[in-house]
Amino acid sequence: MRKFYTLLFLFSLTGIVVHGQDYSKMKGSELCSLRKSKLILDGFKSSPNSPRHTFNVLDYNLDLDIRHCYLPPYPNDYKAKNIITFKVDTTLSSIVLDASSSSLSIDSIKGAAISFTHLLNQLQINLDRTYENGEIAQVEIFYHHNNLDDNAFYSSNGYVFTDAEPIGARKWFPCYDKPSDKATLTLRAKVPTNVRLGSNGRLADSVVVADSLWYTWISRDSISTYLMVMSSRVNYNLDIVYITDPFNPLSDTLPIRFYYNPGENPAAMEQMIGPLTHFYESMFGKHPFEKNGFATVGPQFTWGGMENQTLTSLCPGCWESSLLAHEYAHQWFGDMITCATWADIWLNEGFATYVEALWTGQQFGYDDYVAELESNASYYLAYNPGWAISNPSWAISPPSNNTLFNYAITYMKGSCVLYMLRNVVGDSLFFETMYQYANDTVNFKYQSATIPDFMQKVNSVTGMNLDYFFNEWIYTPNHPQYHNTYDIISLPNNQWEVKFNIKQTQTNTGYFIMPVELKISFNEGDTTLKMMNEFNDQNYSFIFDKRPVSVEFDPENKIVLKTSSLIMASQDLNIPQSSSLKVVKNPSNGAFNIYYESNFKGNAEYSIINSQGIAVLKQVSVPVIQGLNIIPVNITDVESGIYIINLKSNGIYYSEKVIISH
């Protein structure tokens, strides 16, 4: 049945054009990383799960008077009330919440609260009695936000918005600010009548009282505090796209709200959101929430996007397809299932970056999907800072945001790990695992997960023990460096033997156990062999009744995070080093020569990527002779910057940097 979408345009484009940086050449994952790696990480002291929490927040009910924040001089102060409902997990007579001492001032408390102290970013509330395990209590907190910039609550020139990852929620309302503690949310906000305000969940009502407008947003689904949001401005434009299930057209439609600034045009993204939704649903199950949306916010939001549950924040003018594909993937992986601790951020960012590549493949074909992951791997190999994707100690003492949201590690390497997992288990088991993980209502759906939780799910669905895979690729830094050798030996009776030795030479990490493939070529065709490489210096032997003419290691580059070389052991050859590839006239204006010293005659392929991992020159094939090869290159039409040349010849991989300066 044909997919059916209805587009309701509530307001047309008006006003001035917003000018900003061109983000169209950046991947969505890069824009996401740039924003998050630049966040200020202050007061980050404890893990969401360690020590075990003594209470579980069930609901936040926020009431904020922010009306004057939209009026000159656009102050940051406001008065608010927060009613917190929580369930007691162990006997207690007080609770401790996160509340920034600089941003928030506590005025009074009510409900089950009798007194409080507010020191060192913590709000301790003494309760009216001792509560036992299983009891539910409620406290009312009356507070005000101080008139300061705190990188969480923003007010300027008619914009008011929040941005809370990883620990900004405590700066605009008292809360238990850990990703594993999810709660429902009701948010009521008083604004001028010319303001549109979006938040999590559904719009329950918007009521005009005198010269003010009261918005009430209610989320039926629990949310991590860092994913709670307000996005608003004077004279916001709003379009709503309604998506109908093509297999059940009489069912309720899914509204996707597009808030955008005057002069912006999200029309292309509004057309994309329907196919994107159905593509994600086909792999991961139904869209998990009652609505969704995107909002370009104020200029203080300088990079990329933030996947707030049901309302993603975007930088001004950032209506880019890859960015929306990345952030929208988070609604399943990051919002519906949230990292339990910041040590588990791979479950958010590695997944969304990989799904972004799946969308590329859906649009342009499988080869483009592979090319995007190989580009991600090339970026990682060029800019690897040398730490693991996850360190268990980060659950207790998280690192800086530059480490936590590092583009090369968390995003690029993180996406490639899922690519390799798919290659290891096969397409059917991989997508079955992803679907079952996303639809496990007992353990994961609308809850949080750790990386070991996901590992256990993979093992359960596939029937394999893949702990080795995750331990080496997630918890171990760096990657394998293969220096392999082979020999082709003539045997009696017209038979031939191929001997192959796999050797890893890296010293900055452990040994990587992996299934590997060898491609043996003959004059009459070729065959691909698959075997398990379980230890270093492992030897293999294969007998054929026809003469092999060449051997290639990992011919489809399934172990995409590696460097490798391959030589014939029977020849007195040294392993080629990176010095075998040189760029003459470096820096240059884009016209230069590659000098490549080859020990083989045949063909080579080279490509050139930019600092974002995007290929500016894709897989150029050139013949090479044994000896010195001079390969002319002309990329004078690219922008100034640092580029990486990747060259592959006879199973050997080389990389070299070139600087383009116009």
Side-chain angles (χ1 to χ4, degrees), residues 139 180 286 291 365 397 405 455 479 639:
V139 296
S180 62
K286 290 292 294 180
K291 82 103 167 54
S397 300
F405 298 107
M455 292 168 56
H479 52 272
E639 299 175 353

Side-chain angles (χ1 to χ4, degrees), residues 522-592:
F522 311 89
N523 288 328
E524 304 83 4
D526 55 60
T527 185
T528 299
L529 306 171
K530 188 172 183 178
M531 71 277 315
M532 197 70 183
N533 175 216
E534 298 176 295
F535 55 88
N536 207 4
D537 226 7
Q538 190 167 4
N539 293 303
Y540 306 86
S541 176
F542 311 97
I543 306 297
F544 301 96
D545 57 5
K546 51 187 175 180
R547 181 178 181 178
V549 295
S550 67
V551 178
E552 187 174 357
F553 175 71
D554 192 19
E556 296 183 7
N557 198 23
K558 291 184 177 179
I559 307 175
V560 71
L561 300 175
K562 71 176 185 303
T563 62
S564 69
S565 66
L566 177 62
I567 63 171
M568 289 188 68
S570 60
Q571 298 185 22
D572 185 18
L573 298 175
N574 293 322
I575 297 173
Q577 301 297 320
S578 60
S579 59
S580 297
L581 181 67
K582 294 291 185 184
V583 175
V584 176
K585 196 178 179 183
N586 190 10
S588 79
N589 67 349
F592 56 88

Side-chain angles (χ1 to χ4, degrees), residues 349-370:
E349 299 301 347
F351 280 49
T353 306
Y354 177 74
V355 174
E356 182 185 342
L358 289 177
W359 174 242
T360 297
Q362 172 71 5
Q363 292 178 290
F364 306 111
Y366 182 80
D367 288 347
D368 283 69
Y369 153 78
V370 173

Side-chain angles (χ1 to χ4, degrees), residues 127-141:
L127 303 176
D128 55 358
R129 62 178 176 85
T130 298
Y131 287 80
E132 302 295 334
N133 181 27
E135 288 193 87
I136 295 176
Q138 192 175 83
V139 296
E140 297 181 35
I141 305 168

Side-chain angles (χ1 to χ4, degrees), residues 42-56:
D42 56 343
F44 207 163
K45 297 180 179 179
S46 61
S47 155
N49 291 335
S50 179
R52 174 145 181 93
H53 196 33
T54 57
F55 63 94
N56 173 30

Side-chain angles (χ1 to χ4, degrees), residues 64-124:
L64 307 101
D65 182 355
I66 53 176
R67 186 183 188 282
H68 69 293
C69 297
Y70 301 90
L71 307 174
Y74 309 109
N76 286 286
D77 64 298
Y78 60 84
K79 291 184 178 181
K81 178 177 70 171
N82 185 9
I83 302 175
I84 300 178
T85 304
F86 61 94
K87 183 178 181 180
V88 175
D89 287 340
T90 187
T91 302
L92 55 76
S93 58
S94 65
I95 61 171
V96 176
L97 300 171
D98 298 296
S100 169
S101 298
S102 58
S103 296
L104 304 183
S105 295
I106 309 303
D107 299 319
S108 62
I109 54 174
K110 289 184 179 180
I114 57 173
S115 63
F116 70 91
T117 56
H118 185 200
L119 296 170
L120 302 176
N121 300 317
Q122 291 191 323
L123 173 62
Q124 178 171 322

Side-chain angles (χ1 to χ4, degrees), residues 36 39-50 98-100 120-122 164-171 176-180 225-226 339-345 393-405:
K36 295 181 179 181
L39 295 172
I40 297 174
L41 190 65
D42 56 343
F44 207 163
K45 297 180 179 179
S46 61
S47 155
N49 291 335
S50 179
D98 298 296
S100 169
L120 302 176
N121 300 317
Q122 291 191 323
E165 190 181 25
I167 57 166
R170 67 190 67 181
K171 296 180 179 180
Y176 185 68
D177 198 11
K178 309 297 186 292
S180 62
T225 49
Y226 81 93
C339 60
T341 80
W342 297 111
D344 306 301
I345 192 63
S393 68
W394 294 351
I396 299 172
S397 300
S400 71
N401 276 10
N402 287 329
T403 298
L404 196 64
F405 298 107

